[in-house]
Amino acid sequence: EKIIVSEASALQRAAALDEYGEDVASYSKRLDEKPADCATLCNRAFCYVKLGKFEDARRDAEACIAADESFARGHTRLAQALERSDRPAALRACRRALSLDRD
């Protein structure tokens, strides 16, 4: 039974990764039209994090922050992208996000 659960879990993960990959393609297409759209950059950064592409996620988060420094989610996505590689910078990004969005 554990093998069946593991196989099902692996299939679910693979399907989710395929979905995130499709979403990246969709967001990339949208960014061709509006390269500085923060919501789209953050959504694609989220997908990159889920795919384990942390450097790509970092680039999108930083592009969002460059376009609109006050967009709190850009800082949140930056924190997610940096969590494994630069914990102090990730914490600074979290603090910045919290200072911008107190809700």
Side-chain angles (χ1 to χ4, degrees), residues 20-103:
Y20 287 123
E22 290 171 12
D23 290 346
V24 165
S26 176
Y27 293 133
S28 296
K29 201 173 190 180
R30 217 178 292 165
L31 288 166
D32 287 341
E33 297 166 15
K34 288 180 73 178
D37 183 65
C38 283
T40 304
L41 285 163
C42 284
N43 289 341
R44 188 171 72 174
F46 176 80
C47 292
Y48 281 141
V49 166
K50 290 297 187 179
L51 291 167
K53 296 182 174 186
F54 301 106
E55 189 59 28
D56 291 328
R58 182 192 59 78
R59 276 193 293 271
D60 276 0
E62 288 176 344
C64 171
I65 293 166
D68 183 354
E69 213 288 324
S70 68
F71 197 77
R73 200 166 11 129
H75 298 277
T76 302
R77 296 294 182 242
L78 181 60
Q80 290 172 320
L82 294 173
E83 183 179 8
R84 288 172 179 81
S85 64
D86 188 348
R87 194 102 170 148
L91 289 171
R92 284 191 300 275
C94 282
R95 285 188 202 102
R96 181 65 181 139
L98 287 171
S99 75
L100 292 168
D101 185 10
R102 301 218 178 248
D103 292 329

